[in-house]
């Protein structure tokens, strides 16, 4: 049996039986996973155990990778913490096990993560950063892989992906979807090959402030708060809030002056939050976009849910009253083309180019005319670019420096004057900074700060 045939058969077999076999072996004292068994026995032994034995063939073990030709060095374990607060590259609460071996390429410090039924599972960014490489090496080396730059020489690599959901140059937040677990490249079973690097060299992997011990099942702590705004009492003034990912559910938390936060459970832990006045009653409701299905799920005041499908998986959701009818509609921002796609109430989609691949979208009524306009935040310059379209067809853009490059942008009518202002949320301190000056002004003297949410 040729190497190519062996790999193809092994991939198909491991996808089909990864749940029962992995469950059985992980019940044993040593917690051997399918990948660990294959490392010890090789693919021929795995095939034999499944009744599919053929002539012995050279190759690698199930769920492992070798020959990563784009690796940059052997790396060293110093025992020192990285300067980046990494979390596991998987959704909140999911349990994964990472294994390695002395001859692991490019370094024994690289890890291969597996779990039952892992093919196609979501892969998340371990920390915020910029996508600096998206590549497909076919059946060799890393296969489909992504590298994210986290600044100061720090980066992470995600390899053997089934699908990639980001593009080069795109900004991703911690917990942002990078792609799906796969078996592309020089891999004989589905798994995520993961590396943490400093100056291009592999280093010891750390998660949640502690070094990861290979072979140890660990629950992901990649449960970041996401900032947002809403007018929950229809008084014309927006307050701030966060969306918190839990193991299975999502929770919206909104500030309430002089009282405990309002908590609204809706969506799943892997959903992307949105807010808007879906029925035009003046009160902001909650919603989510589910990337896997590309559907917006909008929660109505009567408890029902409206589903709208729009965009592609990598698109970023936005909401706004695009036609001024008093009801919030949905849209997406497509980083690959730096274009907003805005859907009105009748289902017609209009496109608005703005920003660049690295922009983060924001929306708001920048001129108070009752129609929501679009904007972007550029983390490299900590600058908002706000676009206003007028009834006569003319368009203006205003740039507003505000916040820091590591902040996440927010927008809302903080003072109830009918005009949307910009703001930012610092993940390190969980602090909102809300700019109260008119969007056309470059003054930042009027700023209100609110500490809310869970810092990272």
């Amino acid at each position: 049996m040729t190497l190519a045939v062996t790999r193809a058969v092994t991939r198909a077999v491991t996808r089909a039986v990864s749940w029962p076999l992995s469950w059985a072996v992980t019940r044993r004292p040593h917690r051997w996973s399918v990948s660990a068994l294959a490392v010890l026995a090789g693919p021929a032994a795995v095939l034999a155990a499944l009744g599919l034995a053929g002539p012995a063939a050279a190759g690698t073990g199930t769920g492992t990778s070798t020959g990563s030709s784009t690796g940059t060095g052997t790396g060293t374990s110093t025992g020192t913490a990285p300067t980046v607060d990494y979390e596991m590259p998987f959704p909140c609460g999911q349990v994964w096990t990472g294994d390695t071996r002395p001859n692991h390429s490019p370094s024994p410090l690289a890890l291969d993560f597996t779990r039952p039924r892992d093919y196609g599972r979501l892969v998340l960014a371990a920390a915020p950063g910029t996508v600096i490489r998206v590549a497909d090496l076919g059946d060799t080396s890393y296969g489909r892989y992504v590298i994210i730059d986290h600044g100061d020489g720090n980066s992470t690599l995600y390899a053997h992906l089934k699908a990639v959901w980001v593009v080069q140059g795109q900004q991703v937040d911690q917990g942002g979807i990078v792609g799906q677990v796969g078996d592309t490249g020089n891999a004989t079973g589905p798994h995520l090959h993961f590396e943490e690097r400093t100056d291009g060299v592999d280093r010891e992997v750390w998660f949640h402030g502690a070094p990861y011990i290979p072979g140890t099942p660990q629950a992901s702590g990649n449960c970041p708060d996401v900032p947002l705004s809403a007018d929950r009492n229809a008084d014309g003034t927006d307050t701030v809030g966060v969306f918190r990912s839990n193991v299975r559910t999502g929770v919206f938390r909104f500030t309430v002056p002089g009282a405990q936060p309002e908590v609204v459970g809706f969506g799943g832990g892997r959903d992307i939050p949105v807010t808007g006045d879906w029925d035009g009653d003046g009160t902001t409701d909650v919603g989510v976009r589910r990337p896997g299905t590309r559907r917006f799920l909008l929660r109505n005041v009567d408890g029902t849910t409206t589903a709208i499908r729009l965009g592609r998986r990598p698109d970023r959701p936005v909401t706004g009253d695009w036609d001024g009818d008093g009801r919030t509609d949905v849209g997406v921002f497509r980083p690959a083309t730096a274009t907003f796609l805005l859907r009105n109430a009748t289902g017609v989609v209009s496109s608005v180019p703005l920003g660049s691949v690295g922009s983060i979208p924001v929306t708001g009524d920048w001129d108070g005319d009752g129609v929501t306009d679009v904007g972007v935040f550029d983390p490299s310059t900590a600058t908002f670019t706000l676009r206003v379209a007028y009834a006569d067809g003319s368009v203006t853009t205003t740039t507003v420096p505000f916040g820091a490059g590591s902040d996440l942008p927010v927008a809302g009518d903080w003072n109830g004057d009918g005009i949307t202002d910009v703001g930012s949320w610092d993940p390190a301190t969980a602090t909102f900074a809300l700019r109260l000056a008119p969007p056309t002004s470059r003054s930042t003297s009027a700023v209100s700060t609110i500490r809310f949410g869970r810092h990272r």
Side-chain angles (χ1 to χ4, degrees):
M1 186 180 296
T2 65
L3 173 59
V5 174
T6 300
R7 287 173 58 192
V9 173
T10 306
R11 285 177 177 175
V13 169
T14 53
R15 289 181 194 171
V17 303
S18 62
W19 163 241
L21 183 56
S22 179
W23 179 87
V25 297
T26 53
R27 297 286 292 177
R28 302 188 182 213
H30 293 292
R31 295 174 177 166
W32 297 112
S33 64
V34 175
S35 61
L37 287 176
V39 168
L40 295 175
V46 174
L47 292 172
L50 298 171
L52 298 171
T60 59
T62 303
T64 64
S65 57
T66 64
S68 298
S69 61
T70 52
T72 57
T74 59
T76 58
S77 175
T78 64
T80 58
T83 57
V84 177
D85 294 325
Y86 294 115
E87 295 290 353
M88 292 186 75
F90 305 107
C92 181
Q94 284 190 2
V95 178
W96 290 75
T97 301
D99 292 307
T100 190
R101 55 194 182 279
N103 65 341
H104 200 180
S105 178
S107 162
L109 298 178
L111 296 175
D112 288 342
F113 280 96
T114 58
R115 64 166 282 157
R117 296 177 179 173
D118 50 12
Y119 186 78
R121 296 273 185 167
L122 293 181
V123 175
L124 310 184
T130 304
V131 177
I132 59 172
R133 186 164 179 79
V134 174
D136 186 349
L137 301 179
D139 285 336
T140 65
S141 187
Y142 290 132
R144 294 191 186 101
Y145 73 99
V146 171
I147 298 177
I148 300 177
D149 177 19
H150 307 290
D152 298 325
N154 298 292
S155 62
T156 49
L157 179 144
Y158 313 77
H160 305 309
L161 299 174
K162 171 190 174 185
V164 174
W165 289 20
V166 293
V167 294
Q168 190 162 318
Q170 182 177 341
Q171 295 290 320
V172 291
D173 190 18
Q174 185 175 65
I177 300 174
V178 174
Q180 295 171 272
V181 172
D183 55 8
T184 60
N186 193 12
T188 55
H191 67 282
L192 175 70
H193 177 99
F194 177 77
E195 301 173 27
E196 292 178 8
R197 296 174 170 182
T198 300
D199 295 328
V201 178
D202 282 1
R203 57 157 295 128
E204 182 180 35
V205 169
W206 281 56
F207 296 131
H208 209 66
Y212 175 77
I213 301 174
T216 304
Q218 183 168 317
S220 173
N222 204 334
C223 317
D225 280 1
V226 177
L228 43 83
S229 65
D231 178 4
R232 293 290 292 166
N233 60 3
D235 68 351
T237 301
D238 287 324
T239 58
V240 296
V242 296
F243 178 78
R244 181 165 298 169
S245 297
N246 292 321
V247 176
R248 295 186 181 277
T249 62
V251 176
F252 290 81
R253 296 171 58 86
F254 299 103
T255 57
V256 178
Q260 292 296 311
E262 179 189 8
V263 178
V264 181
F266 187 73
R270 296 182 292 276
D271 293 338
I272 302 174
V274 293
T275 59
D277 183 2
W278 318 130
D279 57 5
D281 66 353
T283 301
T284 302
D285 304 299
V286 300
V288 296
R289 184 174 187 260
R290 193 153 288 170
T293 63
R294 296 172 287 162
R295 289 184 182 274
F296 285 85
L297 302 176
L298 312 178
R299 181 179 183 268
N300 301 312
V301 67
D302 61 0
T304 60
T305 300
T306 300
I308 300 173
R309 187 172 182 175
L310 180 67
R312 301 171 183 170
R313 288 177 174 177
D315 293 344
R316 306 182 71 153
V318 294
T319 60
D321 183 0
W322 317 128
D323 50 16
D325 66 354
R327 297 171 182 261
T328 302
D329 305 302
V330 299
V332 295
F333 176 75
R334 185 160 294 164
T337 59
T339 302
F340 286 86
L341 302 173
L342 311 178
R343 180 188 186 275
N344 66 18
T346 63
V348 176
V349 177
S350 59
S351 62
V352 180
L354 186 68
S356 65
V357 64
S359 297
I360 301 176
V362 294
T363 61
D365 184 1
W366 315 127
D367 60 351
D369 67 351
V371 176
T372 303
D373 297 296
V374 298
V376 293
F377 177 73
D378 183 355
S380 65
T381 60
T383 301
F384 288 85
T385 299
L386 309 179
R387 178 185 187 274
V388 176
Y390 298 98
D392 61 4
S394 62
V395 173
T396 62
T397 58
T398 302
T399 57
V400 180
F402 190 77
S406 57
D407 292 346
L408 296 177
V410 293
D413 184 356
W414 315 127
N415 54 12
D417 64 357
I419 298 176
T420 304
D421 307 300
V422 299
S424 62
W425 186 72
D426 180 359
T429 63
T431 301
F432 285 89
L434 310 179
R435 181 180 184 271
L436 303 178
T440 55
S441 169
R442 297 178 64 86
S443 169
T444 57
S445 58
V447 177
S448 172
T449 59
I450 301 173
R451 188 164 187 173
F452 187 73
R454 184 169 55 195
H455 71 82
R456 305 180 188 174

